[in-house]
Amino acid sequence: MGWNPVGFHLIDLGLLKRAAVRAESELATQAASTQKVPATSQIATNQLASAAAIYFSQTNRGHLQMPSKNAEPTRPEPDEHPRENINQQAPSLPDWRHWRESGGQRMWQAVLLSLNVNATAKDRDSLKVNDPAKYAEYERRCKVAIARYGVHEQLPAIAHPMSGRMIRERYVLFDRFLAFARDVGWDGLEAFERGLGFAPVAALSDSTVGMSTEITKGWRYDRVRMGALLKLLEDVARGTADGKALLHGGQISLIRVGQEMANIIDEAAKAAAPGKRLAGYGADGNRKSLTAARDALKDV
């Protein structure tokens, strides 16, 4: 079989070097001998001689180099088209059907939704990179919600398996959180309201606010309590209720006022539908609402 130089570069370099040395030795031996060598031996010798010629010619040109044990491993060339950083993408808009059906999530997620930003960690990080001003508002709202959590009536402490260790990871109900956001006066809640299926406050008139309106329970609770408080003040002014009984130590007793409000609400519910009782309007709940209202007045 004849010598084929094509594909020769696939041969191990060490083997090639030994073949070259052997070829030189064979040629030297034949030159010194006057005996005729067999044809097969001559063919092998010619192949070895060709190998030697290729080896030395390529080595002199620098094309063939023996690997060094101390040589550093080769590193891949940098990608000319690196994958785009996900944080460079603008945050997504919320999938309102998903969030509406969930009913609630962690507090920081509810804050993102109040800003019309999809409530995922990826979108939160993207907001930080692409809109620092809006991200600053997100952080501000988180601090407000954390400060009022478990204190404001619309942010009760809820034991839920989805809650995390940090306060901003506590579970909140979206309808209650929206009522809280309205109460503290956050702007730009229209998308939050529409996304959750609640009517914006600006679209409601006094004649449409009632038990069947498409409005959050938390907001409706405040309206009903306000009505009960007005009825109590009216009774005191007319003399049909003892105003002194609402005092304790010369100051208004919120628990007593809350109890009277509960009685008024209970009577109104029975008048509207005999035997009907409303949940969520107990004396303690009313007291907490009055406490939050008094604190809010101090912050004006």
Side-chain angles (χ1 to χ4, degrees), residues 188-252:
L189 298 175
E190 294 79 12
F192 195 21
E193 293 165 339
R194 288 193 298 267
L196 296 180
F198 302 129
V201 175
L204 298 174
S205 63
D206 293 339
S207 61
T208 60
V209 176
M211 303 297 284
S212 61
T213 56
E214 196 178 30
I215 192 170
T216 66
K217 289 182 179 180
W219 190 253
R220 178 165 56 85
Y221 286 166
D222 288 342
R223 291 296 182 92
V224 173
R225 288 192 175 103
M226 186 181 296
L229 185 59
L230 289 174
K231 179 66 167 60
L232 178 59
L233 291 176
E234 182 180 303
D235 291 344
V236 171
R238 289 180 176 179
T240 57
D242 185 6
K244 292 183 179 180
L246 303 177
L247 298 176
H248 178 72
Q251 295 182 342
I252 193 75

Side-chain angles (χ1 to χ4, degrees), residues 86-255:
I86 191 65
N87 286 341
Q88 298 302 321
Q89 300 176 2
S92 305
L93 293 175
D95 178 358
W96 286 116
R97 179 179 179 181
H98 166 72
W99 299 117
R100 184 168 58 249
E101 290 176 349
S102 70
Q105 282 293 336
R106 293 182 173 184
M107 182 191 296
W108 67 266
Q109 293 177 290
V111 174
L112 282 178
L113 292 177
S114 75
L115 293 167
N116 198 27
V117 175
N118 200 32
T120 68
K122 182 185 73 173
D123 290 294
R124 179 188 59 193
D125 296 342
S126 179
L127 180 68
K128 184 176 183 180
V129 173
N130 293 278
D131 196 338
K134 197 169 187 177
Y135 183 81
E137 175 62 13
Y138 157 76
E139 284 290 344
R140 190 193 71 81
R141 292 188 180 189
C142 279
K143 292 178 181 178
V144 172
I146 289 172
R148 307 294 287 273
Y149 184 75
V151 178
H152 194 282
E153 182 186 7
Q154 305 303 342
L155 287 182
I158 299 176
H160 195 277
M162 293 183 66
S163 293
R165 181 178 59 84
M166 301 176 65
I167 296 181
R168 69 173 59 198
E169 296 175 344
R170 302 295 172 83
Y171 191 84
V172 298
L173 297 171
F174 287 147
D175 61 343
R176 305 292 293 274
F177 193 84
L178 175 57
F180 164 76
R182 287 167 167 170
D183 184 57
V184 296
W186 288 352
D187 297 327
L189 298 175
E190 294 79 12
F192 195 21
E193 293 165 339
R194 288 193 298 267
L196 296 180
F198 302 129
V201 175
L204 298 174
S205 63
D206 293 339
S207 61
T208 60
V209 176
M211 303 297 284
S212 61
T213 56
E214 196 178 30
I215 192 170
T216 66
K217 289 182 179 180
W219 190 253
R220 178 165 56 85
Y221 286 166
D222 288 342
R223 291 296 182 92
V224 173
R225 288 192 175 103
M226 186 181 296
L229 185 59
L230 289 174
K231 179 66 167 60
L232 178 59
L233 291 176
E234 182 180 303
D235 291 344
V236 171
R238 289 180 176 179
T240 57
D242 185 6
K244 292 183 179 180
L246 303 177
L247 298 176
H248 178 72
Q251 295 182 342
I252 193 75
S253 171
L254 297 186
I255 187 61

Side-chain angles (χ1 to χ4, degrees), residues 30 39 42 47 53 69 91 127 149 155 161 165 203 208 297 299:
Q30 291 181 25
Q42 184 64 46
Q47 291 178 349
K69 293 182 179 180
L127 180 68
Y149 184 75
L155 287 182
R165 181 178 59 84
T208 60
L297 182 61
D299 295 336

